[in-house]
């Protein structure tokens, strides 16, 4: 079972670097996942690692006691370099590396009503073809302000087939004349 971080997280440059290193270390995914779950279950841990009044020796002992041993060196390096504030971003960057390896494209579908299975499969097929992916994961979100239709976002591309989007484009065209 893979639990992904929120795909909407924007990663800073250092987080991307750490995420790539974590991926390249080839630590089995279950240990990365276990580490992620520990941080999620005990949010105070991140605060402890970022607290400048807590001695580094104590932080490193906590890492040894709480986290899978396969993650110790990585977490200690992040802690020593004062990067534990980026841990959520690091996991998001790691997820991106996993998705690239597995040829997975992630997309967000914003709509007023849930798509049928046939519509969703059609969108997945389109995304796989367009981005050369083996699999498409679509996160469906609802927004009544669209008035109908949908907006599909993948990578830096946006496909706006919403009624609101069409009305906005029509207003721009009429305003330009």
């Amino acid at each position: 079972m893979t639990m992904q971080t929120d795909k909407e997280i924007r990663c800073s440059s250092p987080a991307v670097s750490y995420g790539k290193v974590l991926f390249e270390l080839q630590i089995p995914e279950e240990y990365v996942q276990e580490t992620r779950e520990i941080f999620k279950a005990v949010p105070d841990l991140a605060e402890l690692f970022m607290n400048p009044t807590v001695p580094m020796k104590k932080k490193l002992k906590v890492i040894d006691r709480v986290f899978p041993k396969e993650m110790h060196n990585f977490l200690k390096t992040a802690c020593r370099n004062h990067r534990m504030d980026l841990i959520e971003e690091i996991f998001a960057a790691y997820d991106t590396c996993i998705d690239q390896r597995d040829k997975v494209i992630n997309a967000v579908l914003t709509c007023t009503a849930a798509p049928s299975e046939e519509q969703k499969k059609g969108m997945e097929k389109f995304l796989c073809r367009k981005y050369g992916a083996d699999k498409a994961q679509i996160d469906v979100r609802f927004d009544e302000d669209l008035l109908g239709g949908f907006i599909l976002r993948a990578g830096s591309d946006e496909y706006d087939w919403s009624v609101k989007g069409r009305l906005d484009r029509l207003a721009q065209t009429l305003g330009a004349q």
Side-chain angles (χ1 to χ4, degrees):
M1 176 185 97
T2 301
M3 186 174 101
Q4 301 291 309
T5 55
D6 182 358
K7 298 294 180 180
E8 294 295 307
I9 292 176
R10 301 290 180 242
C11 299
S12 62
S13 182
V16 169
S17 297
Y18 275 80
K20 285 180 181 177
V21 167
L22 180 57
F23 174 76
E24 290 167 359
L25 287 171
Q26 297 183 0
I27 295 169
E29 288 180 51
E30 61 264 21
Y31 299 118
V32 176
Q33 181 58 33
E34 184 181 338
T35 301
R36 174 182 290 164
E37 288 171 1
I38 292 168
F39 274 108
K40 206 173 246 183
V42 189
D44 291 345
L45 277 174
E47 291 175 30
L48 170 103
F49 293 126
M50 293 183 289
N51 187 335
T53 64
V54 176
M56 184 60 68
K57 210 175 211 177
K58 183 175 181 182
K59 293 176 184 180
L60 300 181
K61 280 184 182 178
V62 170
I63 289 171
D64 285 337
R65 289 187 182 146
V66 175
F67 296 99
K69 71 174 174 51
E70 294 79 2
M71 291 292 296
H72 288 179
N73 288 339
F74 178 81
L75 292 173
K76 287 177 180 181
T77 300
C79 191
R80 284 186 191 108
N81 293 323
H82 308 286
R83 295 298 189 190
M84 293 300 265
D85 59 322
L86 301 176
I87 198 70
E88 202 172 314
E89 290 179 48
I90 291 169
F91 287 138
Y94 170 83
D95 289 341
T96 299
C97 292
I98 295 289
D99 288 344
Q100 288 171 348
R101 179 198 67 197
D102 296 345
K103 295 180 104 181
V104 175
I105 182 71
N106 291 287
V108 176
L109 174 68
T110 306
C111 51
T112 56
S116 68
E117 267 312 301
E118 186 178 323
Q119 289 170 323
K120 195 169 179 187
K121 286 195 186 311
M123 288 179 202
E124 289 170 354
K125 191 174 179 181
F126 162 76
L127 291 167
C128 287
R129 191 172 54 247
K130 169 96 172 144
Y131 296 95
D134 291 340
K135 183 179 179 188
Q137 291 181 335
I138 300 175
D139 179 22
V140 179
R141 299 180 184 174
F142 299 94
D143 183 353
E144 295 299 322
D145 292 340
L146 296 181
L147 306 173
F150 64 90
I151 299 173
L152 181 64
R153 289 183 184 92
S156 60
D157 297 329
E158 180 178 282
Y159 306 93
D160 188 345
W161 290 96
S162 67
V163 173
K164 182 182 183 319
R166 290 178 186 200
L167 289 172
D168 289 347
R169 288 188 294 279
L170 179 61
Q172 284 178 341
T173 302
L174 292 173
Q177 293 179 353

